[in-house]
Amino acid sequence: MTQQPTGETPGFGPNLVEVFGPSQQDGGPELIQLLTPEGERVHHPEFDHDFTAEELRGFYRDMVLTRRIDTEATALQRHGELGIWAQLLGQEAAQIGAGRALRPQDFVFPTYREHGVAWCRGVDPLRLLGLFRGVDQGGWNPDDNNFGLYTIVIGAQTLHATGYAMGMQRDGVVGTGDPDRDAAVVAHFGDGASSQGDVNEAFIFAASYNAPVVFFCQNNQWAISEPIERQSRIPLYQRALGFGFPGVRVDGNDVLATYAVTKAALQRARDGQGPTFVEAYTYRMGAHTTTDDPTRYRLSGDVESWKLKDPIARVEVYLRRNGLVDDEFLAGIQAEADDLGHTLREGCKAMPDPQPMSMFDHVYAEMTDELAAQRDAYAAYLETFEGSTH
Amino acid sequence: MTQQPTGETPGFGPNLVEVFGPSQQDGGPELIQLLTPEGERVHHPEFDHDFTAEELRGFYRDMVLTRRIDTEATALQRHGELGIWAQLLGQEAAQIGAGRALRPQDFVFPTYREHGVAWCRGVDPLRLLGLFRGVDQGGWNPDDNNFGLYTIVIGAQTLHATGYAMGMQRDGVVGTGDPDRDAAVVAHFGDGASSQGDVNEAFIFAASYNAPVVFFCQNNQWAISEPIERQSRIPLYQRALGFGFPGVRVDGNDVLATYAVTKAALQRARDGQGPTFVEAYTYRMGAHTTTDDPTRYRLSGDVESWKLKDPIARVEVYLRRNGLVDDEFLAGIQAEADDLGHTLREGCKAMPDPQPMSMFDHVYAEMTDELAAQRDAYAAYLETFEGSTH
Amino acid sequence: MATQKITLAKGLNMGLRKAMEADDKVLLMGEDVGKLGGVFRITDGLQKDFGEDRVIDSPLAESGIVGTAVGMAMRGYRPVVEIQFDGFVYPAYDQIVCQVAKIHFRSQGRVKMPIVIRIPFGGGIGAVEHHSESPEAQFAHTPGLKVVACSNPVDGYWMIQQAIACDDPVIFLEPKRQYHADKAVLDESVTPEPLFTSRVVREGNDLTLLAYGPMVKTALKAAEAASGEGRSVEVIDLRTLSPLDMAPVLESVRRTGRAVVTHEAHVNLGMGAELAARITEECFYSLEAPVLRVGGFDTPYPPSRIEEDYLPDLDRVLDAVDRSWEF
Amino acid sequence: MATQKITLAKGLNMGLRKAMEADDKVLLMGEDVGKLGGVFRITDGLQKDFGEDRVIDSPLAESGIVGTAVGMAMRGYRPVVEIQFDGFVYPAYDQIVCQVAKIHFRSQGRVKMPIVIRIPFGGGIGAVEHHSESPEAQFAHTPGLKVVACSNPVDGYWMIQQAIACDDPVIFLEPKRQYHADKAVLDESVTPEPLFTSRVVREGNDLTLLAYGPMVKTALKAAEAASGEGRSVEVIDLRTLSPLDMAPVLESVRRTGRAVVTHEAHVNLGMGAELAARITEECFYSLEAPVLRVGGFDTPYPPSRIEEDYLPDLDRVLDAVDRSWEF
Ligand SMILES: Cc1ncc(C[n+]2csc(CCOP(=O)(O)OP(=O)(O)O)c2C)c(N)n1
Ligand SMILES: Cc1ncc(C[n+]2csc(CCOP(=O)(O)OP(=O)(O)O)c2C)c(N)n1
Ligand SMILES: [Mg+2]
Ligand SMILES: [Mg+2]
């Protein structure tokens, strides 16, 4: 009953399908790729990069450690140490590619799932757990690593990113030609988020002011139980074209391609050429969060087929085949991962609960008398239990 | 400082400007036109229609009478009979073209400026004045003429339109092939409105459900004092392409073209082929409303150049040149317009103020005791002034 | 008709099913309400039985969901919208307060808005930010909306059906931490009270304790505890927040002379403020003490590890009862 | 420094200019704030003098305006946002209550949100729907926001500068029907009171009348009229709605024993409810009558031809004064 287009209607110019094809199973021909799922290095006429062995090993290490953060956190949730966890399994390449393309002066606005980007920015992974453990709502200082706090209201941060980028314009750090000065912003969001008014308004503001922002969408095919088709009937990156700025689709399971494309988009922004939409075409291998049950809404066959496109495996194959790593190197990274896992486990369990009275702190920069009175009354009330079992 | 794109960046594929050019002064080559400003009938390969003399005379009459409604209402505001008035001067062709393309079973969601569409739907023009006089908030029954109430919050009605269209799908009145049954919705909005989250969400819902809705945007170049460039740096109709449905730009000062294009878009919707975006490229010849002062923000030269594209004059030239009207016919319409003006003037002045107590009516379909008590208390209070000068 | 023991989640699910069976204009809309059955499974199985046209998975956009529901209502449907969590209703706030609430008035009664907006609300489930809000006052302040909150499985079953049958828009608040907490016996042969009425859920003579949604359970426990200290506390489950059903409240307070209101929402400008103002105006000479309020503090909802400090609990309610006494 | 007579519109315009001169991080954003100077001309001339980078015409999208202001604030700017009319703030409500209000708390004080959101509010100007709303309670209920309302030209001048200097987000309400109504003498050498304080604007002994924004003028007239009948009414201009400055209010009510609150917003869950609840709790034994509220009725704002019936006026305020007396 909710019919899909049945064909061409006379009178509507170039048939739409010719301009914008429907989303294709494998990401379509427009998918930018530099490393195939089989670990073959391929080249792209517009986006390419000469990766050093060092860089490639770095990506590999980043992805392995990021995956470990994710599996540890998932386990910690199962053991009751976290209330919930938003897994990134399968999205490591998209995040490490995007994260490593940044320069220090760039600024990142994440969702709640950007653990890999946080890693690249140097945020202590333990700090990521606080929100999910319920001990804080973001335990790092955004200005320490130019990495904003996780944002839960879908899409809200894309406007913040655009405003921040407008601030950069006013600070004169865009288009000066000085590579250590020119800066840009990355706004992360998901395929589902692309339906929010805020995200589309962010496109409008960014285009209108030509703001230096890269809209980095991880199309992991799902918004909880809803497939991408509910949000868009054409490839998402094409959304940007209608707002007057470029959009590209990159293989989000290919860290090389994601890196190269994001880097180019960031440079474009820093140069003062405005916003770009990067759709990292990937797949959410796990559940939406640890409380979700994807067996209710998707086929295990789909998941299986995506396993063949694993972002880490293909880099490992490439590195090995080209003799860029040896068993010792790989074992070293595994050891590092084990250490990281251990640190996270211990660190998480040791994370203290906040002081109850801390909820009155930081409601305002300038505390109000009425809130101070409420706080004091509660403190006095709590004192009446002193010594009791309350 | 808010730089515009300075050129091509290597790595971003087909240069954007090749795909989507910047908005062009005269509407650009993509502008669909059937009658030039000089009154020449031209043809279009995709959108055309054989207009009967009857139809053309009808358009002419509609536009003249609509303009009269507008000038009368403007005058009534100057005389203090209306609080404010939203003028449509210059947009008559866009509205009559869109309005006449409707079939009875279609449904229209207007903004606050669709006086011409209301006229086509058979809404008594006097009823339009109530809102602006402050005696009601919409004095007609939407179901009487399938014409919704004026909506003031920018863009809100585009979602209502989409939902209504989804209702039509569920009612089985889309794509049945029965011309008296198949129905569609038109959502009106302005160029400024295209920036609202709601409008973009309406595009998403309409595309996702393939809803039978025509998004009819009157790009009159201004949102109060802000020019279209603040909202979009490419032609507005291209916005739709990024959402996966067709967009076209029609000369909104050409009633023939607007009619033909809207009719085709409506048919597409009724046939179950989903949404279309029609950008009627026009110009707000008057102020935003009677309280606005456009001399503060735009050049009189621009207005002068648009006068040459007057939507009524070109039809008159065409009709006369082809001997389709004579002086008597034109005089008859003038007389009709004078009558209409008279009716509006007298009718407006005679419009009674609402009863104060009516504000308690219709807050709910099922009145609540507490509101009834508030009403009764106020009535009792008013009675204490009975006989006094209150 | 057989009786059965049900949870609140089950009661709501059954009530939705009944409403959909009774009237094929009833539609469900929202994020993940289809195959998944909603993140709380309240719509479990309904898409399977009623089809995708009546149980509609929506794009991820709350304003869009409510805005299209308005259009559906104009076309004669009765949409029931699910907002996934309380904290995500705000993108739809404009459509709710400017459109849903006003269209009947704007149209002089010509256009009805029989929309139900279901919101799982309140805290205490150990969730992250935006998942534990209590936005009721932000809706109750808006004329044109009706606002109700259920507190138990049986009410859930009946109230959702009554809300759907109501020709006015209803904000329907569901205490999410009660979804699976307790079971109650549903006897479908018992005629329910009308929707917009409050209910005395425990009788008492010394103090009137007002609660709704998740706090009713706490209030009942507090009354029980107080009775141990020889204080007879009457508990009223308000059920309807707009309109308020003041008659049983005033009758009670005139008898008891004391009132305490409790809710999870922030105290400042919460429902307690309105109740205190009205009770004081109507029972001025009966009051032995001012109406006291026990609510969430006037801070953002804190990290979940300290949410039990933020939320009013048995002890804080009892403390207010004591303070009322000592006044 | 010379004194001059100014309107409220002029006071705000001058205050904005001062703030922009004092700190080049101060930016203005909003619809039509540039060449047009805003539909009320409050930003008149500022874009000409400070340039398009500091006085920014925004696309027509309120959520976008506030959301980008958040990002600007994160980058160290102090954005002053103009919402064109009260009824158009709701598309931005989500960004305001979930982001602007919470980011300082969320970040444990690491990220400040020095954003001012200016809203011309209230009715009485003969406007169409959505142009006469009083949304203050919907913001005051939200922890993390501060909410103030100015009532006169001199306060307009000082308060807007103080709000911009404040490191917390401030919802700044401007009584639009007062913009051009009256002139007052501005003496810039006089040091203003702090922003978050209320002010006794007329002394009296028999009843305390609380008002803010557009109702201050009406309240003063009512006090004048009451004095003709031998009743000495004290009028307090609340100025700050969140936080409330209760000290002068309580001091006054303890003296007078009676209080009336008036505002244009709907009575139900309006500021009057909170004031009534607090006053009653703090002054229980001083009150001779319950706190009475005179507000807009609990209906949508009606068509303008009957708005004077909807709005509280001199007579309705006096009626409440009488009722308080007769209690
Ligand atoms: C405004 C809002 N509505 C609903 C939610 C609940 N929610 C959390 S994540 C999610 C799906 C997001 O999907 P997507 O944008 O694709 O990101 P992903 O989770 O796949 O990374 C939803 C609906 C929310 N957080 N915010
Ligand atoms: C949500 C909202 N914000 C602001 C306004 C105030 N306003 C009324 S009309 C208008 C400009 C609309 O421009 P456009 O969409 O181009 O329509 P036009 O008036 O040109 O027909 C604005 C900003 C409003 N009505 N609603
Ligand atoms: Mg996703
Ligand atoms: Mg316009």
Side-chain angles (χ1 to χ4, degrees):
Chain A
M1 193 227 56
T2 50
Q3 307 86 348
Q4 285 308 310
T6 53
E8 205 168 333
T9 311
F12 278 88
N15 189 342
L16 191 69
V17 181
E18 283 171 25
V19 185
F20 294 133
S23 186
Q24 284 173 17
Q25 255 252 289
D26 59 354
E30 67 271 83
L31 192 76
I32 298 161
Q33 208 174 54
L34 298 181
L35 189 67
T36 69
E38 296 73 31
E40 298 292 348
R41 183 77 168 80
V42 290
H43 294 275
H44 189 275
E46 298 178 78
F47 298 95
D48 219 328
H49 181 83
D50 275 331
F51 294 95
T52 64
E54 201 50 39
E55 278 177 314
L56 296 174
R57 282 192 292 257
F59 290 154
Y60 178 78
R61 173 175 171 272
D62 288 337
M63 290 195 291
V64 170
L65 295 182
T66 297
R67 183 168 289 182
R68 178 56 72 94
I69 294 170
D70 193 57
T71 48
E72 281 305 333
T74 304
L76 282 163
Q77 195 279 337
R78 302 264 176 262
H79 287 96
E81 295 293 333
L82 300 180
I84 193 172
W85 177 249
Q87 297 159 269
L88 62 63
L89 190 69
Q91 300 178 220
E92 295 87 354
Q95 297 198 8
I96 299 303
R100 286 297 169 208
L102 295 160
R103 307 213 66 210
Q105 67 270 31
D106 299 329
F107 201 99
V108 176
F109 285 84
T111 71
Y112 40 81
R113 208 188 285 285
E114 265 63 73
H115 321 311
V117 186
W119 168 261
C120 295
R121 289 265 93 182
V123 176
D124 178 352
L126 194 55
R127 294 272 76 76
L128 301 177
L129 305 186
L131 170 72
F132 299 95
R133 186 170 167 86
V135 301
D136 60 45
Q137 298 176 328
W140 58 95
N141 185 339
D143 287 332
D144 284 349
N145 308 76
N146 279 11
F147 185 77
L149 294 185
Y150 279 2
T151 300
I152 291 170
V153 177
I154 297 293
Q157 76 284 359
T158 59
L159 282 168
H160 308 166
T162 304
Y164 195 97
M166 290 165 66
M168 286 177 167
Q169 290 177 309
R170 281 158 183 76
D171 289 342
V173 297
V174 182
T176 69
D178 176 350
D180 293 326
R181 184 168 181 195
D182 287 343
V185 175
V186 177
H188 286 274
F189 60 108
D191 46 303
S194 69
S195 292
Q196 278 288 3
D198 272 10
V199 175
N200 292 278
E201 292 186 9
F203 298 160
I204 286 163
F205 279 67
S208 187
Y209 300 116
N210 208 39
V213 54
V214 175
F215 293 106
F216 191 90
C217 177
Q218 284 167 72
N219 175 2
N220 64 6
Q221 315 296 325
W222 295 95
I224 310 187
S225 74
E226 299 193 7
I228 174 64
E229 291 72 28
R230 177 82 305 160
Q231 324 286 345
S232 182
R233 60 192 201 185
I234 60 168
L236 262 186
Y237 76 92
Q238 298 177 353
R239 176 80 56 84
L241 308 183
F243 290 92
F245 57 92
V248 286
R249 172 178 278 189
V250 63
D251 181 348
N253 284 18
D254 173 356
V255 66
L256 277 56
T258 307
Y259 173 86
V261 166
T262 310
K263 201 170 135 88
L266 276 166
Q267 196 50 48
R268 203 174 162 271
R270 293 188 205 105
D271 288 348
Q273 297 193 58
T276 308
F277 184 118
V278 176
E279 177 191 2
Y281 195 80
T282 179
Y283 196 81
R284 197 195 75 207
M285 294 299 291
H288 169 67
T289 64
T290 44
T291 60
D292 180 37
D293 173 11
T295 63
R296 292 177 70 102
Y297 56 79
R298 72 180 186 188
L299 302 170
S300 58
D302 289 354
V303 183
E304 290 310 313
S305 78
W306 275 91
K307 271 198 188 141
L308 306 175
K309 302 182 190 166
D310 185 78
I312 300 184
R314 70 176 79 176
V315 176
E316 187 170 332
V317 168
Y318 180 81
L319 288 173
R320 276 189 187 276
R321 189 184 297 140
N322 291 279
L324 301 176
V325 295
D326 54 19
D327 286 347
E328 192 185 345
F329 174 84
L330 297 172
I333 288 181
Q334 279 315 320
E336 223 186 322
D338 291 343
D339 279 354
L340 178 59
H342 181 78
T343 309
L344 281 177
R345 273 195 305 279
E346 298 311 308
C348 179
K349 290 174 194 160
M351 266 188 182
D353 282 357
Q355 289 300 317
M357 297 309 294
S358 72
M359 82 180 129
F360 297 98
D361 300 338
H362 309 304
V363 178
Y364 300 102
E366 301 163 20
M367 183 68 164
T368 67
D369 292 346
E370 69 181 30
L371 189 60
Q374 202 173 77
R375 177 195 59 199
D376 297 346
Y378 187 53
Y381 163 83
L382 286 181
E383 268 173 30
T384 64
F385 292 94
E386 211 95 300
S388 86
T389 57
H390 183 80
Chain B
M1 192 229 53
T2 52
Q3 308 86 345
Q4 286 308 309
T6 52
E8 206 167 331
T9 311
F12 278 88
N15 188 340
L16 190 69
V17 181
E18 283 171 26
V19 184
F20 294 133
S23 185
Q24 284 173 17
Q25 254 252 290
D26 59 355
E30 66 272 82
L31 192 76
I32 298 161
Q33 209 173 51
L34 299 181
L35 189 68
T36 69
E38 296 73 30
E40 300 289 352
R41 182 77 169 80
V42 291
H43 294 275
H44 188 275
E46 297 179 80
F47 297 95
D48 220 328
H49 181 83
D50 274 332
F51 294 96
T52 64
E54 201 50 40
E55 279 178 314
L56 296 174
R57 281 192 294 259
F59 289 155
Y60 179 77
R61 174 176 171 271
D62 287 337
M63 291 196 290
V64 170
L65 296 182
T66 297
R67 183 169 290 183
R68 177 56 73 96
I69 293 170
D70 193 57
T71 48
E72 280 305 331
T74 304
L76 282 164
Q77 195 278 337
R78 301 266 177 260
H79 288 95
E81 295 294 333
L82 301 180
I84 193 172
W85 176 250
Q87 297 160 267
L88 62 62
L89 190 70
Q91 299 178 223
E92 295 87 354
Q95 297 198 9
I96 299 303
R100 286 298 170 207
L102 296 160
R103 307 212 66 210
Q105 68 269 30
D106 299 330
F107 201 99
V108 176
F109 285 84
T111 71
Y112 40 81
R113 208 189 284 285
E114 265 62 75
H115 321 310
V117 186
W119 169 260
C120 295
R121 290 265 93 181
V123 177
D124 177 352
L126 194 56
R127 295 272 76 77
L128 301 177
L129 305 185
L131 170 72
F132 299 95
R133 186 171 167 85
V135 302
D136 60 45
Q137 297 175 327
W140 58 94
N141 185 338
D143 287 332
D144 283 350
N145 308 77
N146 279 12
F147 185 76
L149 293 186
Y150 279 3
T151 300
I152 291 170
V153 177
I154 297 293
Q157 77 283 357
T158 59
L159 283 169
H160 307 166
T162 304
Y164 196 96
M166 290 164 66
M168 285 177 168
Q169 290 177 309
R170 281 158 183 76
D171 288 342
V173 297
V174 182
T176 70
D178 176 350
D180 293 326
R181 185 169 180 194
D182 286 344
V185 174
V186 178
H188 286 274
F189 59 108
D191 46 302
S194 69
S195 292
Q196 279 288 2
D198 272 10
V199 175
N200 292 280
E201 292 186 9
F203 298 160
I204 286 163
F205 279 66
S208 186
Y209 299 116
N210 209 38
V213 55
V214 175
F215 293 106
F216 191 91
C217 177
Q218 284 167 72
N219 174 2
N220 65 6
Q221 314 296 327
W222 294 95
I224 309 186
S225 76
E226 300 193 6
I228 173 65
E229 290 73 29
R230 177 82 303 160
Q231 324 287 344
S232 181
R233 60 191 201 185
I234 60 168
L236 263 185
Y237 75 92
Q238 297 177 351
R239 177 79 56 84
L241 307 184
F243 290 91
F245 57 91
V248 286
R249 172 179 278 190
V250 63
D251 181 349
N253 284 17
D254 173 354
V255 65
L256 277 56
T258 307
Y259 173 86
V261 166
T262 310
K263 202 170 133 87
L266 277 165
Q267 196 51 47
R268 205 175 160 271
R270 293 188 205 105
D271 287 348
Q273 298 193 59
T276 308
F277 184 119
V278 176
E279 177 191 3
Y281 194 80
T282 180
Y283 196 81
R284 197 195 76 205
M285 294 298 290
H288 170 68
T289 64
T290 46
T291 60
D292 180 38
D293 173 11
T295 64
R296 290 178 71 100
Y297 55 80
R298 72 181 184 187
L299 303 170
S300 58
D302 289 354
V303 183
E304 290 310 313
S305 77
W306 275 90
K307 271 198 188 140
L308 306 175
K309 302 181 191 168
D310 186 78
I312 301 184
R314 69 176 79 176
V315 177
E316 186 170 331
V317 167
Y318 180 81
L319 289 173
R320 275 188 189 276
R321 191 183 295 141
N322 291 278
L324 301 176
V325 295
D326 54 18
D327 287 347
E328 193 186 344
F329 173 85
L330 296 173
I333 288 182
Q334 279 316 319
E336 223 187 321
D338 291 343
D339 280 355
L340 178 59
H342 182 78
T343 310
L344 282 176
R345 273 195 305 279
E346 297 311 308
C348 179
K349 290 174 195 162
M351 264 187 181
D353 283 356
Q355 290 298 317
M357 297 308 295
S358 72
M359 83 180 127
F360 297 98
D361 300 338
H362 310 304
V363 177
Y364 300 103
E366 301 165 18
M367 184 66 165
T368 67
D369 292 346
E370 70 182 28
L371 189 59
Q374 201 173 76
R375 177 195 60 198
D376 296 346
Y378 187 54
Y381 162 83
L382 286 181
E383 268 173 31
T384 64
F385 292 94
E386 211 95 300
S388 86
T389 57
H390 182 81
Chain C
M1 205 175 286
T3 63
Q4 54 177 310
K5 288 198 89 171
I6 57 168
T7 59
L8 174 58
K10 182 72 185 166
L12 291 164
N13 179 270
M14 289 171 61
L16 288 170
R17 179 179 289 276
K18 276 268 175 184
M20 295 186 77
E21 282 165 359
D23 182 351
D24 62 14
K25 294 291 182 188
V26 176
L27 308 173
L28 311 188
M29 305 168 67
E31 295 157 9
D32 306 295
V33 297
K35 278 191 190 154
L36 185 61
V39 294
F40 291 108
R41 310 288 186 268
I42 305 303
T43 58
D44 191 27
L46 298 176
Q47 187 180 67
K48 192 163 144 281
D49 294 343
F50 295 97
E52 293 192 18
D53 279 345
R54 293 192 62 198
V55 181
I56 308 170
D57 270 331
S58 312
L60 207 176
E62 287 76 9
S63 189
I65 298 171
V66 174
T68 52
V70 168
M72 297 268 219
M74 288 174 168
R75 183 77 194 179
Y77 287 87
R78 304 183 83 87
V80 182
V81 163
E82 174 171 305
I83 298 292
Q84 199 159 79
F85 281 89
D86 33 55
F88 307 138
V89 72
Y90 300 113
Y93 196 68
D94 175 56
Q95 283 284 348
I96 296 173
V97 302
C98 295
Q99 305 300 330
V100 174
K102 291 184 167 184
I103 285 174
H104 188 263
F105 185 80
R106 183 182 302 151
S107 69
Q108 294 155 59
R110 292 171 182 128
V111 183
K112 293 205 173 34
M113 277 292 120
I115 298 178
V116 175
I117 300 178
R118 294 180 39 238
I119 309 179
F121 85 126
I125 62 159
V128 296
E129 210 188 341
H130 310 292
H131 290 70
S132 308
E133 306 289 318
S134 297
E136 57 270 24
Q138 290 159 327
F139 296 109
H141 183 53
T142 306
L145 300 177
K146 292 177 174 175
V147 183
V148 302
C150 59
S151 68
N152 64 72
V154 177
D155 270 6
Y157 174 75
W158 291 118
M159 287 172 73
I160 190 67
Q161 293 179 67
Q162 294 169 318
I164 293 170
C166 176
D167 271 346
D168 289 304
V170 178
I171 306 292
F172 193 91
L173 298 162
E174 304 171 358
K176 69 172 86 79
R177 66 169 143 131
Q178 296 297 328
Y179 274 145
H180 304 282
D182 305 299
K183 286 196 172 182
V185 175
L186 171 66
D187 177 354
E188 294 189 56
S189 67
V190 175
T191 309
E193 303 105 304
L195 181 57
F196 301 106
T197 54
S198 300
R199 184 198 294 139
V200 176
V201 288
R202 178 184 172 113
E203 297 192 349
N205 300 313
D206 299 337
L207 183 143
T208 306
L209 180 53
L210 304 172
Y212 55 90
M215 288 305 295
V216 172
K217 192 171 169 182
T218 310
L220 285 168
K221 283 194 191 152
E224 187 61 33
S227 86
E229 299 173 31
R231 285 171 184 170
S232 165
V233 172
E234 178 146 309
V235 179
I236 298 183
D237 179 353
L238 291 172
R239 300 188 348 127
T240 175
L241 307 182
S242 182
L244 282 167
D245 179 21
M246 291 303 290
V249 174
L250 300 177
E251 187 281 321
S252 178
V253 178
R254 287 196 187 105
R255 239 183 326 104
T256 64
R258 298 177 196 279
V260 169
V261 192
T262 183
H263 48 62
E264 292 190 9
H266 313 297
V267 170
N268 186 34
L269 275 159
M271 292 302 307
E274 182 62 28
L275 285 156
R278 290 203 206 178
I279 290 170
T280 310
E281 188 166 343
E282 301 290 332
C283 308
F284 190 64
Y285 292 114
S286 318
L287 283 177
E288 309 277 345
V291 179
L292 296 182
R293 299 179 284 165
V294 189
F297 292 113
D298 292 315
T299 73
Y301 201 91
S304 63
R305 291 277 174 147
I306 55 171
E307 68 182 332
E308 296 303 338
D309 277 270
Y310 169 86
L311 292 169
D313 63 3
L314 183 69
D315 287 324
R316 279 175 61 205
V317 172
L318 285 174
D319 175 64
V321 170
D322 287 347
R323 282 188 290 124
S324 178
W325 237 272
E326 287 154 17
F327 221 88
Chain D
M1 206 174 285
T3 62
Q4 53 177 309
K5 289 198 87 171
I6 57 167
T7 59
L8 174 58
K10 181 73 186 168
L12 291 164
N13 178 269
M14 289 170 61
L16 288 169
R17 178 179 290 276
K18 277 267 173 184
M20 294 185 77
E21 281 166 359
D23 182 352
D24 61 13
K25 294 290 182 189
V26 176
L27 308 173
L28 311 189
M29 305 169 68
E31 295 157 10
D32 306 295
V33 297
K35 279 191 189 155
L36 185 62
V39 295
F40 291 108
R41 310 289 187 268
I42 306 301
T43 57
D44 191 25
L46 298 176
Q47 187 181 67
K48 194 165 142 280
D49 294 344
F50 294 97
E52 293 192 18
D53 279 344
R54 294 192 61 199
V55 181
I56 307 170
D57 270 330
S58 312
L60 208 176
E62 287 77 9
S63 189
I65 297 171
V66 174
T68 52
V70 168
M72 297 269 220
M74 288 174 168
R75 184 75 194 178
Y77 288 88
R78 304 183 83 86
V80 182
V81 163
E82 173 171 305
I83 298 291
Q84 199 158 79
F85 281 89
D86 33 55
F88 308 137
V89 73
Y90 300 112
Y93 196 68
D94 175 55
Q95 283 284 347
I96 296 174
V97 302
C98 294
Q99 305 300 331
V100 174
K102 291 185 168 183
I103 284 175
H104 187 263
F105 184 81
R106 182 182 303 152
S107 69
Q108 295 155 59
R110 292 172 181 129
V111 183
K112 292 204 173 34
M113 277 291 119
I115 297 179
V116 175
I117 300 179
R118 295 180 38 240
I119 309 179
F121 85 125
I125 62 159
V128 296
E129 211 187 340
H130 311 292
H131 290 70
S132 308
E133 306 289 317
S134 297
E136 58 270 23
Q138 290 159 327
F139 296 109
H141 183 52
T142 306
L145 300 178
K146 292 178 174 175
V147 184
V148 302
C150 58
S151 68
N152 64 72
V154 175
D155 270 4
Y157 175 74
W158 291 119
M159 287 172 73
I160 189 66
Q161 292 178 67
Q162 293 169 319
I164 292 169
C166 176
D167 271 347
D168 289 305
V170 178
I171 306 291
F172 193 90
L173 299 161
E174 304 171 0
K176 68 171 88 78
R177 66 168 143 132
Q178 296 297 331
Y179 274 146
H180 303 282
D182 305 299
K183 286 196 172 180
V185 175
L186 172 66
D187 177 353
E188 294 190 55
S189 67
V190 175
T191 310
E193 303 105 303
L195 181 57
F196 300 105
T197 54
S198 298
R199 183 196 296 141
V200 176
V201 288
R202 178 184 172 115
E203 298 192 349
N205 301 313
D206 299 337
L207 183 143
T208 306
L209 180 54
L210 305 172
Y212 55 89
M215 288 306 295
V216 173
K217 192 173 168 179
T218 310
L220 285 168
K221 283 192 190 155
E224 186 61 34
S227 84
E229 299 174 29
R231 285 171 184 169
S232 165
V233 171
E234 179 146 308
V235 179
I236 297 183
D237 179 353
L238 291 173
R239 299 184 354 125
T240 175
L241 306 182
S242 182
L244 282 167
D245 180 22
M246 290 305 289
V249 173
L250 299 177
E251 187 281 321
S252 178
V253 177
R254 286 196 187 108
R255 240 184 322 106
T256 63
R258 297 176 197 279
V260 169
V261 192
T262 183
H263 49 60
E264 293 191 9
H266 313 296
V267 170
N268 186 34
L269 276 159
M271 292 301 307
E274 182 62 29
L275 285 156
R278 292 205 206 176
I279 291 169
T280 310
E281 187 166 344
E282 300 291 331
C283 308
F284 190 64
Y285 292 113
S286 317
L287 283 177
E288 308 279 344
V291 179
L292 297 182
R293 300 178 283 166
V294 189
F297 293 113
D298 292 314
T299 73
Y301 201 91
S304 63
R305 291 277 173 147
I306 55 171
E307 68 182 330
E308 297 303 337
D309 277 272
Y310 169 86
L311 293 170
D313 63 3
L314 183 69
D315 286 324
R316 280 174 60 206
V317 172
L318 285 174
D319 175 63
V321 170
D322 287 348
R323 283 190 288 124
S324 178
W325 236 273
E326 286 154 19
F327 221 89

